[in-house]
Amino acid sequence: MLPIVPSHRLATIDDLPEIIAIYNSTIASRQVTADTEPITVESRKTWFYEHAPDKRPLWVVEGVNQKIIGWLSFSNFYGRPAYSGTAELSIYLHENARGKGLGRYFLSEAIAHAPQIQVHTLLGFIFGHNTPSMNLFAAFNFQIWANMPGVATLDGVERDLIIFGKRVN
């Protein structure tokens, strides 16, 4: 399902239903997001428009059938001007695209692109039981900058949130 050589493009509003479908597909696993119920396209329109291509892009990768198989977003951290050089990365992959190198592609591209959008610090907020995502960020020399034990409760189980960080040039 992955293109032979992945390439990404900026997301358009027409991509939002597929972006949301991929996001919603991760909710049941309780491994990736703190949302516990599916979200709607309508509820994410403001979020979509907050992703200005020159400051906080939202990228998608399409598979061979032109369907979106993954997305990456740069998001503001803490929403205050002094933090404008810091961005949170989120990567979501279609279930058929996981474990095939697309996460590595996205993370590599994000690190390379960050200085072009005046970002010097990248963060990943990852549940402590999400070993694949923690391994991905660690493979790119992100360090654990915070361990927030038991801050999320999913189905009655307390979960840790690990914040991975990396300074980029």
Side-chain angles (χ1 to χ4, degrees):
M1 187 165 172
L2 279 181
I4 292 177
V5 177
S7 66
H8 63 273
R9 64 171 173 79
L10 290 170
T12 68
I13 191 67
D14 292 337
D15 298 324
L16 194 54
E18 288 181 82
I19 290 168
I20 298 308
I22 290 170
Y23 181 85
N24 282 340
S25 75
T26 68
I27 293 173
S29 75
R30 301 298 197 249
Q31 189 168 345
V32 181
T33 178
D35 277 314
T36 57
E37 298 292 330
I39 61 169
T40 65
V41 171
E42 189 62 35
S43 73
R44 293 300 268 191
K45 284 184 177 175
T46 299
W47 170 85
F48 176 85
Y49 288 116
E50 288 171 350
H51 287 88
D54 61 332
K55 296 195 185 308
R56 297 294 185 262
L58 173 60
W59 296 336
V60 295
V61 168
E62 295 174 329
V64 293
N65 59 359
Q66 307 308 111
K67 291 281 201 183
I68 293 170
I69 58 172
W71 57 271
L72 174 140
S73 66
F74 287 81
S75 297
N76 288 331
F77 169 73
Y78 208 57
R80 298 210 172 64
Y83 297 110
S84 65
T86 300
E88 177 189 351
L89 297 177
S90 297
I91 300 171
Y92 286 84
L93 306 177
H94 186 281
E95 62 185 328
N96 294 335
R98 296 176 194 151
K100 297 180 179 174
L102 187 54
R104 293 181 65 81
Y105 167 79
F106 268 136
L107 202 47
S108 175
E109 292 293 306
I111 292 166
H113 187 71
Q116 297 172 48
I117 57 171
Q118 290 74 53
V119 168
H120 55 70
T121 302
L122 294 171
L123 302 174
F125 289 52
I126 304 171
F127 281 136
H129 61 289
N130 184 346
T131 304
S133 291
M134 290 195 307
N135 288 343
L136 171 65
F137 276 71
F140 282 86
N141 297 314
F142 280 71
Q143 302 295 312
I144 294 174
W145 285 2
N147 180 352
M148 304 172 73
V151 297
T153 303
L154 296 168
D155 301 326
V157 178
E158 289 188 353
R159 297 297 188 174
D160 301 346
L161 179 66
I162 311 298
I163 300 175
F164 281 78
K166 179 181 179 81
R167 295 279 300 187
V168 295
N169 296 330

